[in-house]
Amino acid sequence: MTAEQFLAYAESLTGLVRVPLPSGDPLLYGARATLDDGFIYYDAETTPWLALYYQAHEFAHHWLHNGGSLCSGEDVDFTDSEDKALYGEGRIEAYGPHQRRETEANVFAREFLLPGDELRRFYLEEDLNAGRIASRFGLALDFVLHSLAYALLAPDVEDAFNASKIEDESETQGANSLTLDESQRAAAHSAHTPLLVAAGPGTGKTRTLVGRILHLLDRGVTPDKLVALTFSNKAGEEMRERVERFAPDAAPKIWVGTFHAFGLELLRRYWQQAGLPPRARVLDPVDALFILERSLPQLGLDHYQNLYEPTTHLGPILAAISRAKDELVSPDKYAELAEAMLTSARSEGDAGVTRRAERAAEVARVYRFYQSHLEREGLLDFGDLIFRTVRLLREREDVQAEVQAQYRHVLVDEYQDVNRACGVLLGLLADRGEGLWVVGDARQALYRWRGAAPAQVRHFLNDFPHGRTQALTVNYRSLPPIVSLVSAMASQMRVLPTTDGQTEADAKAERADFCSWHAHRHESDATQGEVSAVSFEIATDAAAEAREVARLIKSRKEGGIPFCSQAVICRKHSQLAKFARMLEAEGVPALYLGDIFERSEVRDLLALLALACDGIGRTLPRVARFPEYNIPLREVRAVLQDAKKTGRKFPGALTSFRPTKDVGVIARDEIRRAMTEADGTESLASEEDGAGKEGLARLIYHLAHVAHLQSAWKMLANYLFVRSRYLAPLLADNSSAGTQRRLAVCQLLQFLHNEGARAVEATNDPDARRAILRYVRRLKSLSEDKSLRPIPTSAEGLDAVRLTTVHGAKGLEWSCVYLPYLGRGHFPAKRQHELCPPPAGMVETFPDGEEGADEAQKDSHLEEEECLFFVALSRARDSLCLSRAERYGGNNSKASELLEKIEEHLPRAANGPATWSTEVEQDVTAVISESAQQAADTKPLFTERQLGAYLKCPRKYFYEQRLYLSGRGQETAYLRFHSCVYETLAWLAGERMAGRLAEDSVAVFQEDAQAQLARLWRVKGPVGHVYEAFYRGQSALMVVRAVRHYARARGRLFQQTWLIERPGAFVSLTPDYVELIEEANSATLLFRQTRTGRPPAKTPDEDIYALFYAIAAEHFPQARLRVEVLYLSTDETIELNLSRRTINTRLKHYDDAIAGILSGEFPPEVSDHQCPRCAHFFTCPKAED
DNA sequence: CGCCACGGGGTTTTT
DNA sequence: CCCCGTGGCG
């Protein structure tokens, strides 16, 4: 059943759906008093989904009261729910598997709500097959909610499915028969193998490959001797589709797919020979992270150890491990390479290389642990699919011979994406290359971070000395000006093409003709009204750039080019996100969901979830802003303050704050609304009046009916489809922005539904809702939330401009392509430093440790960026619009060096004057600040902590200081550990000041200090935490060190709060350690900040140190000053010497913070790094507005 | 001309 | 948190 059919069914219910009122909670469906006959009515025509939902309830009600019984699996828990009231206490005891009359429930679910096939689509097939569904009557309600989600939120699935069919890449060639031009035919029919077909963009690579398959079949090769491999699923599916179209009979017998899938197939077939257990499973990468996380304390990391967040580096470490597998480097080999690197680096005394080598050695330890874990558990990760297959073929000649005998013809698409491991696999498969036929374009090698290198293409002739290459030189995609631009870029690139020449010198000599493709299309094909196929514009700023691009898009749409044939391509997602927002603002429909957890509707719903389960109402400020509640901030403040005072937990704390209007009356309004409004867009007049109180009452009413639902999915589905009107504006919004908001909600519901169980397992939090919230933060901070990025296939049919990264654009084409952000530092992107550098010698191309290594890496990075630019340029069929701005985000921006490369082929100079400009609007809004009226003599007082918090993120300060919300997230193990250490230090200072600790009594005193630590630990430490032992050990060590430092004190110690006067306010500060050492004719004042971490690579530059200078200047003008930072992790001390200038700029930071607070400015400080770890992550609007 | 310090920004993504 | 580029100052 499609979404439409579903709605049609719902709408076909005639008249009113009558739902009997249960005898329990009077609020369950509203106020019974208003409805005399004991029934509520829902109008099926105006609120079909609600009617349908209640119809299911009604059925359940009747069923139970006629002797039916209720059974439930873990998905449906009625014990603590409103359903208990509905179904009656007595019936619940019938819980259990396989109760009588279960088939009736099944019949109901299958026949009445959704036809059987749809059950399969909407629910887990395995549940159905196991007959489990039959025993879960309650799932009927879930089906309804699921169906609602699809029907209301996702665009028409059928259309999208049809639209997603891949078109043949050239309009000029027929769709049902495969015609090849002369050189394509030469390549496809070549008798010579191995053959490398070196091609450019739009030259018909894949169709030539399909031509090869047809040719082989014509020559009588049986289909099961053919295997066609590629790197990505996307390319694999495309290949399969074409093979099916052109060779429908043979297609099922030809092996078409990815290298990894092929590896898996061989491993399954020969599992015994490969030494695998019979049912080896493929490991999900996210689970790989969790495996390491669980075992972290026993890994003994040093360089990658981070007290504050022990898991920070696991992602990069895992990436380094999979890189190793891409290079066929085993844990032993990795360790060996790292060891060798370490030895030579130490003997040469090179500190930088030593550090890298030590890091590599540490990764080697993790790799070894990880691999043995996989083997023990019978798990294969993606890298193993290739690695183990290679090992199988290498070690078992019988298997290799059998495989070679079967697959006589090996074809490879996207050969430039083949990495070392896949390359070796190919060699083993095709022995001396006989039967090997590959096609690729070295200039489109984008996947270097996975080990795919253009060198692979270049080395083809080394790997297969009998090989030959052949070029495809006709571009079928683009108009001639675009083809020349692309060719010009190609001739400038440092990637060397492959030719028949055996040396690089030959290759260079032949480069010129190779990279100048011949355009098959003619200038006259150009769209009417199009001035030139290639344009280049310079805008004054990013806003002007977006506005003008938007204008072009709209004018082309009017000229007959639909939005979906136009694409904006950027280098990275952060640029796309900004651009999408600006395009939407200009009224251009753009298809880009971005990061769904950054979207305001998704955060709204997560905030609601948090409100129901976090207990402290942290996200109330956000939920209060939902249109149907619209609770003013002062009321939110009052509620929060009250909750803090009385210690009541949310959501219960809401109700202690009695709204003036009776909840029952609100409830009645709710019913009436549901009955009278078509889609809920009209607002009731009463809403305007008592706004705050009524909004609060409505929120209480809604929460009362969903907050008990333990699963996040269920709670939100109920909230959205049954209780609240949150969706009303989204459903009424027909713009593409509305569609995307609905899609985002749909994606969120699916995520919650699919990941709920895993979240509980991964976070170890028994509350499923809290678990999923923690899980979201964790995914984000591990950067593992990308799987939610691709636009769901159901949206592919929408007529909206495509926004995509260059990587995402690979293999695709559009009529018009826009390439904005061509500024230096934006494209090419800045090179990232390597967190986990591979050991020297692992990757052949970079001779590590040498002087030139860094240069080589820089070069390779630029080479990759060139490839990206080349791919981006070559996506356009009819027009290509390049642009840059003179300013991006307040910084001047010069033209990208890539633009300079092709400057001669552009209509104007890369650094010429702006052609798109913003008319400067003077926005003279009067800024009214409350503080202006403040009397000058009552200077406010701020603590350093407060100002420090403001400097980190003003919005965070606002939540914590103005809304009384605690800044602490859940008490993490680190925080508990930290407070134990710090309290022990404070105690130490006291002991020292009381004279009980002196240098000669240190030994005895150490024991006292440890006892003190142990006492604190029992009460406040992370007792029972998985990493407790680790933190306990660290804390003991730190206390030992701290005692030594305190014992060394000679002078007078101060444990007190100091005041520093600044122009706008007083600042108070309590330093960890202040010692005044007075000597004969001089005095030294020592400030020592004690930190638990390790010293940073650069000198510490926190603002707080400037305040030490200010204290000294004010209170000890005569004394010499010494500022130290003690790091207890390593027992190192760093002395700071700040210049006058530095001190002043830092103090100015505090002054700015004071001014900001006093004038009421609390903008959020957006940071990918900090935000997921911030307590207000789900509340904060961040960059949404 | 060279050094230091401030401040901005934080990839790309597949199996 | 941590790197790198830029810009200001000596």
Side-chain angles (χ1 to χ4, degrees):
Chain A
M1 180 153 64
T2 63
E4 246 169 39
Q5 286 171 309
F6 172 79
L7 274 186
Y9 169 69
E11 277 156 12
S12 73
L13 303 170
T14 50
L16 299 174
V17 174
R18 202 174 76 144
V19 178
L21 277 167
S23 52
D25 180 0
L27 279 184
L28 190 56
Y29 293 128
R32 186 164 30 159
T34 63
L35 301 151
D36 301 332
D37 61 356
F39 290 92
I40 327 173
Y41 294 90
Y42 285 97
D43 186 337
E45 274 174 38
T46 55
T47 53
W49 53 89
L50 224 50
L52 198 56
Y53 182 79
Y54 286 124
Q55 193 178 27
H57 260 300
E58 185 188 21
F59 182 89
H61 182 78
H62 277 305
W63 187 49
L64 288 167
H65 284 276
N66 287 314
S69 57
L70 183 66
C71 327
S72 175
E74 67 281 0
D75 283 347
V76 188
D77 184 1
F78 287 128
T79 46
D80 184 29
S81 75
E82 66 185 35
D83 303 315
K84 186 171 181 172
L86 174 61
Y87 301 132
E89 196 87 41
R91 308 285 170 176
I92 299 290
E93 60 193 77
Y95 257 67
H98 308 297
Q99 300 293 321
R100 68 209 155 101
R101 303 193 62 178
E102 61 188 23
T103 36
E104 281 183 34
N106 204 21
V107 167
F108 174 76
R110 275 174 189 275
E111 305 300 327
F112 194 60
L113 287 173
L114 296 166
D117 280 351
E118 284 318 293
L119 274 182
R120 273 175 223 287
R121 249 177 70 190
F122 287 127
Y123 232 78
L124 297 173
E125 188 143 5
E126 55 184 278
D127 271 348
L128 272 181
N129 294 339
R132 258 177 290 172
I133 290 263
S135 67
R136 292 184 189 176
F137 170 79
L139 286 184
L141 299 181
D142 281 5
F143 295 141
V144 178
L145 292 178
H146 258 296
S147 310
L148 287 169
Y150 279 92
L152 298 173
L153 300 173
D156 194 314
V157 181
E158 296 290 316
D159 277 4
F161 182 73
N162 293 331
S164 70
K165 292 255 187 285
I166 296 161
E167 278 178 41
D168 210 41
E169 67 191 19
S170 164
E171 303 146 306
T172 56
Q173 303 194 14
N176 291 317
S177 68
L178 190 78
T179 46
L180 299 178
D181 71 23
E182 210 175 299
S183 57
Q184 288 172 334
R185 191 176 308 114
H189 294 190
S190 167
H192 189 99
T193 56
L195 185 79
L196 164 67
V197 181
T203 51
K205 289 186 286 280
T206 306
R207 57 184 299 119
T208 307
L209 184 140
V210 175
R212 174 72 179 176
I213 292 178
L214 297 183
H215 170 72
L216 291 174
L217 292 172
D218 276 351
R219 281 205 9 240
V221 174
T222 51
D224 57 6
K225 298 239 175 225
L226 284 171
V227 54
L229 297 172
T230 183
F231 165 73
S232 71
N233 272 324
K234 192 165 100 185
E237 272 160 32
E238 193 187 326
M239 213 154 70
R240 164 144 296 280
E241 203 157 299
R242 287 180 193 223
V243 172
E244 272 164 10
R245 189 158 78 214
F246 295 114
D249 300 332
K253 289 187 199 144
I254 303 176
W255 207 100
V256 180
T258 60
F259 279 96
H260 288 79
F262 187 66
L264 181 60
E265 161 126 3
L266 292 185
L267 289 175
R268 288 234 166 98
R269 211 184 285 171
Y270 300 103
W271 59 272
Q272 279 172 310
Q273 290 91 328
L276 289 169
R279 290 207 129 264
R281 283 186 305 119
V282 179
L283 176 74
D284 186 300
V286 177
D287 289 332
L289 273 170
F290 294 150
I291 289 172
L292 291 191
E293 188 178 6
R294 274 194 295 276
S295 332
L296 193 62
Q298 72 204 71
L299 296 177
L301 299 188
D302 183 34
H303 284 277
Y304 295 111
Q305 187 57 266
N306 174 347
L307 282 173
Y308 175 62
E309 199 169 17
T311 55
T312 335
H313 294 115
L314 294 182
I317 291 177
L318 218 41
I321 291 174
S322 63
R323 275 294 287 123
K325 292 191 179 185
D326 287 337
E327 298 293 327
L328 294 176
V329 169
S330 65
D332 289 344
K333 178 82 181 156
Y334 202 100
E336 208 177 286
L337 288 170
E339 200 51 50
M341 184 180 178
L342 195 57
T343 315
S344 85
R346 281 198 179 133
S347 70
E348 283 168 31
D350 186 330
V353 180
T354 308
R355 211 167 98 103
R356 290 160 65 90
E358 282 168 354
R359 289 178 161 238
E362 227 163 82
V363 171
R365 277 216 299 284
V366 181
Y367 187 10
R368 201 171 258 161
F369 167 87
Y370 168 74
Q371 199 56 37
S372 66
H373 179 93
L374 296 191
E375 275 158 32
R376 208 168 45 241
E377 302 286 320
L379 295 167
L380 295 167
D381 69 6
F382 287 125
D384 287 339
L385 296 181
I386 306 298
F387 201 153
R388 300 287 299 247
T389 308
V390 165
R391 215 159 79 192
L392 169 72
L393 296 182
R394 268 184 183 161
E395 288 172 6
R396 298 290 303 239
E397 278 174 31
D398 53 330
V399 174
Q400 192 194 10
E402 206 175 308
V403 172
Q404 282 183 355
Q406 181 177 358
Y407 299 110
R408 300 310 298 259
H409 298 275
V410 181
L411 294 88
V412 182
D413 197 5
E414 308 278 15
Y415 189 68
Q416 77 281 357
D417 289 333
V418 165
N419 59 29
R420 193 73 217 128
C422 291
V424 170
L425 178 60
L426 271 184
L428 291 164
L429 213 54
D431 195 18
R432 279 145 21 86
E434 224 159 288
L436 184 65
W437 189 101
V438 309
V439 52
D441 179 3
R443 293 188 183 84
Q444 296 186 56
L446 307 190
Y447 292 98
R448 290 162 197 243
W449 41 268
R450 270 195 80 272
Q456 187 68 37
V457 180
R458 211 158 57 233
H459 290 332
F460 182 79
L461 297 174
N462 297 341
D463 290 350
F464 307 104
H466 312 298
R468 197 176 283 172
T469 67
Q470 151 115 33
L472 297 182
T473 54
V474 181
N475 177 304
Y476 289 91
R477 178 180 295 154
S478 312
L479 289 177
I482 298 174
V483 175
S484 358
L485 185 73
V486 168
S487 301
M489 180 63 206
S491 69
Q492 303 265 319
M493 291 168 73
R494 50 196 97 190
V495 179
L496 290 175
T498 310
T499 66
D500 277 319
Q502 296 286 324
T503 65
E504 292 208 344
D506 288 345
K508 269 181 190 154
E510 289 184 39
R511 177 195 274 207
D513 14 41
F514 181 80
C515 51
S516 147
W517 289 279
H518 175 73
H520 179 264
R521 295 178 63 196
H522 300 293
E523 203 81 63
S524 57
D525 297 343
T527 324
Q528 281 201 326
E530 200 67 59
V531 186
S532 167
V534 175
S535 69
F536 166 61
E537 308 287 343
I538 300 164
T540 47
D541 56 34
E545 187 178 23
R547 204 188 38 248
E548 292 300 314
V549 168
R551 199 179 49 76
L552 281 176
I553 291 174
K554 282 188 277 194
S555 78
R556 282 184 175 132
K557 161 79 177 177
E558 275 161 27
I561 300 169
F563 288 127
C564 62
S565 299
Q566 307 190 50
V568 177
I569 303 177
C570 294
R571 174 65 243 274
K572 48 193 174 188
H573 283 289
S574 57
Q575 295 163 348
L576 281 178
K578 284 179 204 152
F579 217 83
R581 221 175 301 135
M582 293 190 282
L583 284 185
E584 289 284 354
E586 296 292 331
V588 173
L591 191 57
Y592 183 71
L593 281 186
D595 180 344
I596 79 156
F597 297 117
E598 298 290 327
R599 298 187 59 95
S600 74
E601 56 282 340
V602 169
R603 296 164 75 86
D604 277 354
L605 296 174
L606 294 175
L608 183 86
L609 209 51
L611 186 60
C613 67
D614 83 344
I616 54 177
R618 174 173 284 137
T619 55
L620 180 63
R622 186 181 190 112
V623 175
R625 280 175 44 196
F626 290 10
E628 62 190 310
Y629 308 135
N630 197 21
I631 307 166
L633 198 56
R634 75 190 120 74
E635 189 131 353
V636 170
R637 229 172 111 129
V639 172
L640 291 172
Q641 201 168 18
D642 185 63
K644 200 170 184 185
K645 213 161 54 203
T646 58
R648 292 199 55 185
K649 294 270 178 228
F650 282 85
L654 284 170
T655 48
S656 68
F657 210 76
R658 265 285 153 211
T660 49
K661 200 166 175 181
D662 184 52
V663 172
V665 179
I666 302 290
R668 199 166 56 226
D669 286 349
E670 288 291 319
I671 301 277
R672 208 168 271 145
R673 192 200 324 279
M675 292 176 74
T676 55
E677 285 176 30
D679 56 13
T681 44
E682 301 162 45
S683 68
L684 293 181
S686 64
E687 245 176 273
E688 313 296 330
D689 322 332
K693 299 288 180 201
E694 192 172 334
L696 185 57
R698 187 168 292 124
L699 173 60
I700 293 168
Y701 172 77
H702 289 163
L703 277 176
H705 292 97
V706 297
H708 63 274
L709 292 166
Q710 287 301 305
S711 108
W713 175 79
K714 249 189 142 177
M715 186 187 130
L716 279 192
N718 265 281
Y719 178 81
L720 288 173
F721 300 119
V722 184
R723 296 295 164 193
S724 84
R725 295 195 304 147
Y726 185 87
L727 283 177
L730 271 73
L731 292 171
D733 184 351
N734 285 322
S735 72
S736 86
T739 311
Q740 288 183 66
R741 294 174 70 197
R742 291 194 291 276
L743 267 176
V745 173
C746 194
Q747 295 256 81
L748 173 69
L749 287 174
Q750 279 190 54
F751 170 80
L752 297 178
H753 185 258
N754 297 339
E755 300 291 313
R758 183 194 249 178
V760 170
E761 195 191 335
T763 57
N764 224 359
D765 192 327
D767 183 322
R769 297 168 305 182
R770 235 174 18 225
I772 201 115
L773 292 171
R774 289 175 65 177
Y775 188 69
V776 167
R777 283 168 186 266
R778 190 116 71 105
L779 287 184
K780 276 201 76 72
S781 62
L782 293 170
S783 305
E784 281 296 333
D785 55 327
K786 308 272 167 75
S787 61
L788 291 150
R789 209 170 242 169
I791 303 221
T793 43
S794 64
E796 281 171 10
L798 299 175
D799 185 27
V801 174
R802 271 29 180 184
L803 274 85
T804 166
T805 58
V806 182
H807 288 88
K810 192 188 173 204
L812 303 177
E813 61 176 43
W814 292 272
S815 172
C816 304
V817 168
Y818 305 86
L819 292 179
Y821 278 105
L822 298 179
R824 202 158 285 208
H826 295 95
F827 196 162
K830 285 192 210 114
R831 192 165 60 105
Q832 286 280 108
H833 83 285
E834 253 180 321
L835 207 55
C836 304
M842 190 184 96
V843 183
E844 287 174 32
T845 31
F846 311 126
D848 248 85
E850 311 293 322
E851 280 296 304
D854 195 55
E855 280 305 306
Q857 293 226 7
K858 216 174 257 179
D859 208 56
S860 141
H861 173 249
L862 286 177
E863 187 175 292
E864 185 172 4
E865 295 292 323
E866 283 174 359
C867 289
L868 284 157
F869 191 55
F870 177 77
V871 168
L873 290 177
S874 57
R875 298 305 97 194
R877 278 202 299 266
D878 307 316
S879 59
L880 174 65
C881 178
L882 310 172
S883 63
R884 56 168 278 252
E886 289 173 331
R887 293 181 71 74
Y888 284 112
N891 294 317
N892 291 334
S893 167
K894 284 189 281 186
S896 158
E897 44 271 60
L898 293 166
L899 270 178
E900 287 167 2
K901 275 194 182 244
I902 52 167
E903 201 166 16
E904 287 170 34
H905 298 261
L906 295 176
R908 62 178 53 83
N911 277 310
T915 53
W916 287 343
S917 64
T918 318
E919 60 278 23
V920 184
E921 270 175 50
Q922 287 294 348
D923 188 18
V924 204
T925 331
V927 181
I928 305 152
S929 76
E930 289 173 32
S931 62
Q933 288 137 14
Q934 197 155 22
D937 54 319
T938 58
K939 243 189 200 184
L941 169 73
F942 295 102
T943 64
E944 188 280 332
R945 286 180 78 90
Q946 288 174 328
L947 296 179
Y950 185 90
L951 286 169
K952 270 196 202 124
C953 175
R955 178 61 67 119
K956 190 167 191 276
Y957 174 92
F958 173 75
Y959 291 129
E960 288 162 17
Q961 299 299 322
R962 294 291 168 92
L963 294 182
Y964 313 105
L965 291 166
S966 147
R968 301 210 164 178
Q970 301 114 13
E971 285 273 289
T972 62
Y974 169 77
L975 279 178
R976 286 166 170 272
F977 147 83
H978 189 267
S979 69
C980 289
V981 173
Y982 267 74
E983 284 185 35
T984 309
L985 294 188
W987 170 86
L988 260 180
E991 292 295 291
R992 174 63 185 75
M993 279 168 73
R996 282 191 284 272
L997 166 61
E999 195 132 38
D1000 46 4
S1001 59
V1002 170
V1004 187
F1005 205 84
Q1006 287 287 10
E1007 280 173 38
D1008 292 352
Q1010 290 297 330
Q1012 174 70 14
L1013 173 66
R1015 248 192 316 278
L1016 284 165
W1017 194 271
R1018 274 194 296 279
V1019 187
K1020 303 195 165 179
V1023 180
H1025 190 271
V1026 259
Y1027 298 163
E1028 180 185 355
F1030 165 73
Y1031 280 120
R1032 187 66 184 82
Q1034 289 286 317
S1035 66
L1037 211 57
M1038 289 181 183
V1039 168
V1040 169
R1041 290 168 178 159
V1043 168
R1044 278 206 295 269
H1045 284 281
Y1046 276 93
R1048 218 169 285 149
R1050 327 217 145 266
R1052 192 171 136 219
L1053 294 185
F1054 295 89
Q1055 259 283 304
Q1056 70 177 79
T1057 301
W1058 308 84
L1059 278 191
I1060 301 120
E1061 185 169 6
R1062 297 301 307 165
F1066 288 101
V1067 182
S1068 73
L1069 172 63
T1070 316
D1072 292 339
Y1073 185 100
V1074 184
E1075 183 183 357
L1076 182 66
I1077 304 151
E1078 284 167 302
E1079 277 149 2
N1081 42 17
S1082 75
T1084 305
L1085 185 68
L1086 168 66
F1087 283 88
R1088 187 162 65 215
Q1089 197 196 27
T1090 313
R1091 311 198 60 171
T1092 49
R1094 59 180 68 238
K1098 293 267 153 40
T1099 49
D1101 59 356
E1102 281 82 359
D1103 294 321
I1104 192 173
Y1105 305 118
L1107 290 178
F1108 293 162
Y1109 283 83
I1111 294 173
E1114 204 166 308
H1115 300 276
F1116 302 92
Q1118 308 304 326
R1120 270 219 328 272
L1121 183 65
R1122 195 178 153 84
V1123 176
E1124 291 180 351
V1125 192
L1126 166 64
Y1127 294 89
L1128 289 178
S1129 279
T1130 56
D1131 207 13
E1132 281 167 85
T1133 305
I1134 290 180
E1135 193 186 338
L1136 288 182
N1137 279 305
L1138 301 191
S1139 67
R1140 198 67 251 161
R1141 172 181 158 217
T1142 310
I1143 295 167
N1144 286 335
T1145 47
R1146 306 251 167 104
L1147 288 177
K1148 184 152 184 309
H1149 291 167
Y1150 287 108
D1151 294 341
D1152 292 344
I1154 291 165
I1157 293 170
L1158 294 180
S1159 60
E1161 286 159 24
F1162 303 104
E1165 179 75 43
V1166 182
S1167 151
D1168 286 346
H1169 188 78
Q1170 298 294 340
C1171 291
R1173 294 156 174 92
C1174 169
H1176 310 290
F1177 180 55
F1178 295 120
T1179 312
C1180 179
K1182 298 222 296 170
E1184 287 163 24
D1185 310 326

